[in-house]
Amino acid sequence: MNINGKPTRTIWLADDGWSVAVIDQTRLPYVFEVAYLRTVADAARAIKTMQVRGAPLIGVTAAYGMALAMRSDPTDVAMRAAVDLLAAQRPTAVNLRWALEQMRDALISVALKDRGVVAYAEAAEIAEADVENCRRIGRHGLEILRQLAAQKSKSGPLHILTHCNAGWLACVDWGTATSPIYAAYDAGLDLHVWVDETRPRNQGAALTAFELGHHGVPHTIIVDNAGGHLMQQGEVDVCIVGADRVTANGDVCNKIGTYLKALAARDNSVPFYVALPHSTIDWTLADGRLIVIEERSPSEVLAMSGRLPDGAIVSVDIAAPGSLAANPAFDVTPARLVTGIITERGVTEPHHLLELYPERARP
Ligand code: MRU
């Protein structure tokens, strides 16, 4: 997608042909800065510190992290150490584990002398596949948005609510939840997006709004607590969110606060869709109660970062000194609250996810 009119991806190979360049998302929306990853430790740190974030992008960065590891030491010992290091950085998004398994499977029987080259090729393939999957999600989601726009009784744009950043910044390009939005906007559909700010790290206000703005999509940032009210007022026609992990029964783990939006959507008969590539589905877990929820630092709740009028980016305390804070980063929306799951293979009710992936059926 575009930044200042220039097609940009979140991750690419630098001019030297081997370092990995990423947009440093901790600096957005005020500063566009590229970070260069030259070692597997750099890749691990970028994932941990959320220079890169969003389930698909975490996976792709881990894949390139493996390539960096294999470039410097292609042995089995180094490969195992790299997998363990990268897997430990963030616990909830299953794309991380998925990408590392892909890499390990691709490398394990390759001669040591070839492992570096094969690892880069495999990582590039994972990245390209993510772009194509997201593009397809957009195509399938566009049909839903077209239908909803046609059925809409009130005049005015189709109002879409989204949470966190499941946009192209969370992937390599297009995004998951935003891909249908970009496809619909490009197709000329009259639409408007309500962007949940998404405390505590404000991925909605900082990142989703940034990318929608650069594409020209009409949008409005709202506080996380406004969604229910807007739904009661008939100001939300559909919710579309992304996911960090979806279990075999269609339960959806996504950024904290997603569940409350799904409850409000159900109470107000607003369709609630979840968009994700197959790499976000955890077929090993029967339901969402088994997902490890990342617990992040209380400092993210007790302080906020922002820009001062002089341009300096600072963190300011916002809470009563001495109070404790809890910071679970994700929640689980039960499948019963989800109208449909949009994947690269099409749209399905959550309980029928397996029908899109018959190869996953147990014999
Ligand atoms: O903690 P983050 O910013 O990595 O969380 C990201 C989200 O929750 C996204 O909504 C989700 O990963 C979907 S990404 C396409």
Side-chain angles (χ1 to χ4, degrees), residues 50 53-56 58 90 163-167 170-171 176 203 242-244 254-255 294 330:
M50 296 179 67
R53 29 69 49 205
I58 293 171
R90 293 199 67 193
H163 189 69
C164 194
N165 173 258
C171 306
T176 55
Q203 290 97 325
D244 290 81
N254 192 49
K255 182 53 59 187
E294 180 177 8
F330 300 94

Side-chain angles (χ1 to χ4, degrees), residues 43-351:
R45 197 175 318 109
I47 294 170
K48 181 85 185 167
T49 61
M50 296 179 67
Q51 283 182 309
V52 293
R53 29 69 49 205
L57 181 57
I58 293 171
V60 174
T61 306
Y64 275 113
M66 289 294 294
L68 290 167
M70 293 298 94
R71 181 177 187 270
S72 73
D73 180 354
T75 60
D76 284 357
V77 174
M79 181 156 67
R80 267 197 302 274
V83 168
D84 291 348
L85 174 70
L86 292 161
Q89 299 311 312
R90 293 199 67 193
T92 304
V94 75
N95 306 57
L96 177 57
R97 186 185 80 199
W98 175 87
L100 291 171
E101 282 169 3
Q102 294 287 113
M103 291 299 289
R104 198 173 39 201
D105 291 353
L107 292 170
I108 198 75
S109 53
V110 171
L112 296 194
K113 68 176 176 42
D114 299 328
R115 274 191 182 165
V117 171
V118 172
Y120 273 95
E122 183 66 18
E125 209 168 291
I126 289 173
E128 287 307 321
D130 189 68
V131 174
E132 178 57 18
N133 288 334
C134 286
R135 200 185 60 77
R136 286 174 192 226
I137 286 169
R139 220 176 51 201
H140 297 304
L142 167 62
E143 294 316 312
I144 295 170
L145 297 183
R146 275 201 172 120
Q147 273 172 25
L148 289 169
Q151 288 160 10
K152 195 173 151 71
S153 51
K154 255 185 171 179
S155 62
L158 186 77
H159 291 288
I160 304 163
L161 183 144
T162 192
H163 189 69
C164 194
N165 173 258
W168 71 266
L169 289 166
C171 306
V172 179
D173 210 345
W174 293 106
T176 55
T178 58
S179 189
I181 295 172
Y182 291 129
Y185 178 78
D186 291 348
L189 216 74
D190 184 15
L191 58 83
H192 164 262
V193 184
W194 296 113
V195 178
D196 281 353
E197 61 174 345
T198 319
R199 274 285 284 153
R201 289 184 69 97
N202 290 330
Q203 290 97 325
L207 304 177
T208 305
F210 172 86
E211 55 170 89
L212 291 176
H214 276 270
H215 199 76
V217 179
H219 64 280
T220 307
I221 299 167
I222 52 174
V223 296
D224 293 321
N225 297 326
H229 167 74
L230 290 170
M231 290 184 212
Q232 284 177 325
Q233 299 296 309
E235 293 295 333
V236 180
D237 296 304
V238 58
C239 300
I240 312 182
V241 300
D244 290 81
R245 191 183 298 223
V246 170
T247 50
N249 70 335
D251 287 350
V252 171
C253 182
N254 192 49
K255 182 53 59 187
I256 195 79
T258 303
Y259 170 50
L260 290 177
K261 293 299 137 63
L263 282 173
R266 176 55 54 94
D267 195 42
N268 291 281
S269 304
V270 173
F272 190 92
Y273 286 94
V274 186
L276 52 121
H278 67 90
S279 50
T280 301
I281 306 171
D282 186 349
W283 297 104
T284 70
L285 294 187
D287 69 68
R289 288 170 304 182
L290 303 164
I291 297 172
V292 176
I293 301 292
E294 180 177 8
E295 187 69 37
R296 296 189 58 84
S297 166
S299 66
E300 293 181 348
V301 178
L302 300 173
M304 262 176 114
S305 86
R307 185 173 61 172
L308 295 177
D310 69 1
I313 294 171
V314 295
S315 174
V316 293
D317 294 342
I318 59 163
S323 291
L324 299 179
N327 190 10
F330 300 94
D331 61 25
V332 175
T333 298
R336 68 187 155 77
L337 296 177
V338 176
T339 309
I341 291 184
I342 310 168
T343 82
E344 73 282 352
R345 290 203 185 168
V347 184
T348 183
E349 286 176 21
H351 296 106

Side-chain angles (χ1 to χ4, degrees), residues 19-38:
S19 312
V20 179
V22 295
I23 299 173
D24 181 350
Q25 299 192 23
T26 62
R27 308 279 289 153
L28 291 175
Y30 304 118
V31 182
F32 179 84
E33 199 168 284
V34 175
Y36 292 92
L37 317 179
R38 297 191 173 86

